[in-house]
Amino acid sequence: MSLPSFKDPPTRPRAMYSLHAMIAAAMVHIPACIEYLASLKEPSVFLFCAIPQVMAIATMAKLYNNEKVFCDKVKIRKGLACKIILHCGTMETALSQFLVHLDELDSALLEEDPSYDVSKQRLAAGRACIAQYRDVKLTQSYARNFLTHYPALGGRLLYAIVDNVTGYFRTDAPVAPAH
């Protein structure tokens, strides 16, 4: 079966099974992705890494069982992308969004699909990993502590700018009192 033949209606069921198999193959990386996010200590680095990972799982949920994939571009909505960007500030909020998209994937699974059992196992592994890392808190990194402790290095100014920019886009960050 060739790639252009995926567009043809008679081959559509096999094309969909191929799509489902590719998504199931990608789901093997979910636990490693979550473990990596849990290992990040610097909040700005976490945000930089978490946003694409949550967008990836949201895209996989959008692609699963979607015949439009073979005829047109399929993307997540801009509103959903904005929501992901605004709500990935902590491990807890990023994982809760991750879990929403895992649930979407789970509800879209078809029992007659040959990759159904593998997909179920990989979604269960993802959920178990989320449960394991849900309470991980972000802490200040050594670099942030060092640079902010020595003002001559300019770290306070740098991190003040980074924190203000990230705080502007995050809705889950506490609001600092005005001086």
Side-chain angles (χ1 to χ4, degrees), residues 5-87:
S5 68
F6 280 18
K7 291 182 177 183
D8 300 333
T11 60
R12 192 57 57 88
R14 286 183 51 195
M16 292 302 291
Y17 292 154
S18 296
L19 173 67
H20 297 164
M22 286 188 282
I23 292 172
M27 284 192 274
V28 75
H29 301 290
I30 292 172
C33 169
I34 294 168
E35 289 170 8
Y36 176 72
L37 290 176
S39 72
L40 299 174
K41 302 301 178 203
E42 178 63 43
S44 58
V45 174
F46 176 82
L47 194 62
F48 179 79
C49 294
I51 291 169
Q53 299 307 318
V54 176
M55 284 190 181
I57 196 71
T59 302
M60 286 173 35
K62 177 86 172 169
L63 294 175
Y64 194 89
N65 208 26
N66 189 342
E67 291 187 2
K68 292 179 184 177
V69 169
F70 304 111
C71 304
D72 202 6
K73 293 178 185 174
V74 176
K75 298 180 178 184
I76 61 173
R77 295 181 336 258
K78 288 180 183 177
L80 178 58
C82 289
K83 179 183 173 192
I84 290 170
I85 290 168
L86 292 174
H87 298 289

Side-chain angles (χ1 to χ4, degrees), residues 32-162:
C33 169
I34 294 168
E35 289 170 8
Y36 176 72
L37 290 176
S39 72
L40 299 174
K41 302 301 178 203
E42 178 63 43
S44 58
V45 174
F46 176 82
L47 194 62
F48 179 79
C49 294
I51 291 169
Q53 299 307 318
V54 176
M55 284 190 181
I57 196 71
T59 302
M60 286 173 35
K62 177 86 172 169
L63 294 175
Y64 194 89
N65 208 26
N66 189 342
E67 291 187 2
K68 292 179 184 177
V69 169
F70 304 111
C71 304
D72 202 6
K73 293 178 185 174
V74 176
K75 298 180 178 184
I76 61 173
R77 295 181 336 258
K78 288 180 183 177
L80 178 58
C82 289
K83 179 183 173 192
I84 290 170
I85 290 168
L86 292 174
H87 298 289
C88 273
T90 65
M91 186 68 170
E92 184 180 357
T93 57
L95 289 182
S96 65
Q97 288 190 72
F98 218 89
L99 193 57
V100 165
H101 300 299
L102 286 182
D103 291 341
E104 285 176 21
L105 261 169
D106 196 14
S107 66
L109 293 180
L110 303 170
E111 288 189 38
E112 64 271 7
D113 183 28
S115 59
Y116 176 80
D117 292 332
V118 172
S119 297
K120 276 289 202 189
Q121 290 170 354
R122 292 182 177 163
L123 288 172
R127 282 193 185 91
C129 202
I130 286 173
Q132 179 182 356
Y133 290 106
R134 189 154 210 138
D135 297 327
V136 170
K137 303 291 183 212
L138 300 177
T139 59
Q140 279 194 354
S141 68
Y142 174 78
R144 180 181 283 259
N145 283 338
F146 182 79
L147 287 172
T148 56
H149 187 69
Y150 298 102
L153 297 174
R156 284 189 184 159
L157 175 63
L158 172 70
Y159 281 114
I161 292 169
V162 168

